[in-house]
Amino acid sequence: MSQNFDLVVLGSGPGGYVAAIRAAQLGLKTAIVERENLGGICLNWGCIPTKALLRTSEIYHYMTHADAYGLSAEKPGFDLAKIVERSRGVAKQLNGGVKGLMKKNKITVFEGDGKIMAKGKLSVTKDGKATELAAKDIIIATGARARELPFAKADGKRIWTYRHAMTPTEMPTKLLVIGSGAIGIEFASFYSDMGAEVTIVEMLDRILPVEDAEVSEFMTKALTKQGMKLHVSTGVQKLAATAKGVSAEIKGPDGKVLVQDFSHAIVAIGIVPNVEGAGIDEIGITRGKNGHIETDPYGRTNVAGIWAIGDVTGPPWLAHKASHEGVIVAEVIAGQKGVHPIDKGNIPGCTYSRPQVASVGMTEAKAKEAGFTVKVGKFPFIGNGKAIALGEAEGFIKTVFDEKTGELLGAHMIGAEVTELIQGYVVGRTLETTEVELMNTVFPHPTLSEMMHESVLSAYGRAIHF
């Protein structure tokens, strides 16, 4: 006999568990199914534990540059096992927090592999035993996993995905990072700051290809200055683990192929949706050419009563996007009025490398392609007192406005703590703020946020400090 619920959520990542909580808040009898760890990839193997690693490398960087601050730290070192242990401890703490939230909101948790058997019916299998669930609505929040090179599967020893890179048993000496999106750049930054010799290979013509071109150019110079080797318009056509490392055949833009040896390689070339085994194809749910589930703006699939959110539905592959979608779908299912679909143009993107990168809205190039006549403002970190005092005077903030209406079309940042600053512009875009409101906003001094004000002023020829 099936256990009955109003809603069953398949997957407990940032989209799934948030959807479950919101549904429970709205009075729906809710269950959640998870085959691995509550909190999904983000809490256990992605967003949070990687930031714990990056915090370690940031502190280590400051220790090795203590003299610049008038301090002394003789022969700083590190214990790799303890670094990994701290990161895993952070993940464990948050996993426990999600368990507590499920209990608090009276959400029933089923551990095991979930499969949609028919409309309104799921089966959860664990240790060979199946549990049948029934629900009026089902939300698919199964997420995605790392895409692997077809000719070089990750072995966890020499060829790594992000999961392997988070729990190394040895520190790479010479590391190849394949792919320069946020994941690739973050791991390159971590391992470089911890002392590895890092080479980044990117098939497109610039690193961080989704970011504004000026941000990519600045990051290229910054990483090169740090000692990294960057190769763009370049591909890895062969990768083989050896007894002592990894051998890579790298084809450059001139067509020449170089064979190079590395101690380890990280494959960070994107992700693929987790759809296998969940009954998605069997029930006839429509998927796009890239394999992701297709939905309407409110998360509905083509099968009535079945919804999908998060990475399984395609880009942008961001935890905060999944969480917001989870709230939207839960509220629509519960019959709430006035629910608005997510505006993907207002979803910020962040890369937690050194330097950090953050953005929202259109790049300058995309705005022009869309037909806007733009006004662009830029302000450098070197013009900000707080940045200089912090010893973090490299970077800039760029704002793009529609010349006709004053609409903030996009904002792009690179430098210290910009992942915290970007939300100011996100709120501005959400409230449909124009340059006038931003100019008339008082920013506290001394703060890095003053650069946001100056960038807006710069777009209109009014910058004060540069």
Side-chain angles (χ1 to χ4, degrees), residues 96-414:
V98 175
K99 288 180 180 178
L101 289 171
M102 297 298 99
K103 184 177 181 180
K104 174 185 175 182
N105 289 280
K106 297 181 175 57
I107 297 165
T108 305
V109 178
F110 292 92
E111 296 180 352
D113 292 303
K115 182 176 182 179
I116 302 172
M117 308 304 292
K119 288 174 59 177
K121 295 185 180 299
L122 285 94
S123 177
V124 183
T125 304
K126 184 178 183 182
D127 300 328
K129 182 181 179 181
T131 302
E132 304 301 320
L133 309 180
K136 179 182 177 183
D137 292 283
I138 298 169
I139 297 176
I140 301 169
T142 50
R145 63 187 182 278
R147 185 184 298 277
E148 295 192 61
L149 291 169
F151 52 82
K153 297 293 184 181
D155 61 9
K157 295 181 179 179
R158 296 294 178 181
I159 302 174
W160 294 345
T161 65
Y162 63 85
R163 289 184 72 142
H164 304 123
M166 292 180 60
T167 55
T169 56
E170 60 182 5
M171 181 61 65
T173 54
K174 190 176 182 182
L175 176 66
L176 172 64
V177 178
I178 306 170
S180 72
I183 293 174
I185 292 296
E186 286 182 2
F187 277 118
S189 187
F190 169 75
Y191 281 108
S192 176
D193 276 347
M194 298 307 296
E197 181 183 329
V198 175
T199 296
I200 300 173
V201 171
E202 170 58 55
M203 288 191 67
L204 299 180
D205 62 358
R206 58 189 176 93
I207 64 170
L208 291 174
V210 302
E211 300 293 344
D212 188 88
E214 288 190 277
V215 169
S216 293
E217 181 182 1
F218 191 97
M219 180 62 92
T220 297
K221 293 177 180 177
L223 298 185
T224 301
K225 184 178 178 181
Q226 292 175 27
M228 298 188 210
K229 297 176 183 177
L230 278 58
H231 301 283
V232 296
S233 301
T234 299
V236 175
Q237 60 181 32
K238 187 175 181 180
L239 191 68
T242 67
K244 295 183 178 180
V246 178
S247 177
E249 289 186 8
I250 301 173
K251 186 177 182 179
D254 58 1
K256 294 182 179 179
V257 177
L258 297 176
V259 178
Q260 290 186 268
D261 293 323
F262 301 88
S263 67
H264 300 79
I266 296 175
V267 180
I269 55 173
I271 60 177
V272 292
N274 292 324
V275 293
E276 300 85 358
I280 291 167
D281 292 331
E282 291 87 336
I283 201 173
I285 294 173
T286 301
R287 294 202 282 139
K289 288 186 291 185
N290 57 9
H292 294 92
I293 294 174
E294 293 187 349
T295 68
D296 75 359
Y298 293 93
R300 297 183 182 91
T301 70
N302 63 302
V303 179
I306 299 181
W307 313 68
I309 60 174
D311 288 357
V312 76
T313 66
W317 297 295
L318 300 167
H320 42 284
K321 173 245 192 185
S323 295
H324 199 81
E325 287 177 332
V327 171
I328 290 170
V329 171
E331 291 183 346
V332 173
I333 290 173
Q336 294 287 292
K337 295 181 179 179
V339 181
H340 296 286
I342 194 169
D343 182 350
K344 292 185 179 181
N346 287 342
I347 301 175
C350 298
T351 302
Y352 299 82
S353 50
R354 186 177 64 83
Q356 293 181 6
V357 174
S359 60
V360 66
M362 288 185 279
T363 64
E364 180 180 355
K366 289 293 184 182
K368 290 178 178 177
E369 287 175 16
F372 290 98
T373 300
V374 300
K375 278 187 171 294
V376 178
K378 279 179 63 178
F379 192 82
F381 271 55
I382 193 65
N384 177 263
K386 180 68 177 293
I388 295 171
L390 291 175
E392 302 285 358
E394 293 189 357
F396 66 84
I397 293 178
K398 177 178 180 178
T399 45
V400 183
F401 291 90
D402 177 9
E403 184 179 60
K404 294 180 181 178
T405 65
E407 177 188 357
L408 176 63
L409 300 175
H412 311 275
M413 309 175 172
I414 182 167

Side-chain angles (χ1 to χ4, degrees), residues 39-94:
I41 292 297
C42 179
L43 266 66
N44 294 283
W45 293 101
C47 319
I48 305 301
T50 56
K51 303 314 166 279
L53 293 176
L54 287 161
R55 176 61 170 166
T56 292
S57 64
E58 179 185 38
I59 292 174
Y60 187 67
H61 168 73
Y62 287 132
M63 289 173 64
T64 56
H65 293 78
D67 186 65
Y69 297 87
L71 304 173
S72 60
E74 296 182 6
K75 296 181 181 179
F78 60 85
D79 183 323
L80 183 58
K82 286 186 177 180
I83 292 172
V84 173
E85 182 183 3
R86 176 179 181 271
S87 175
R88 302 315 307 151
V90 169
K92 184 178 180 180
Q93 180 179 343
L94 290 169

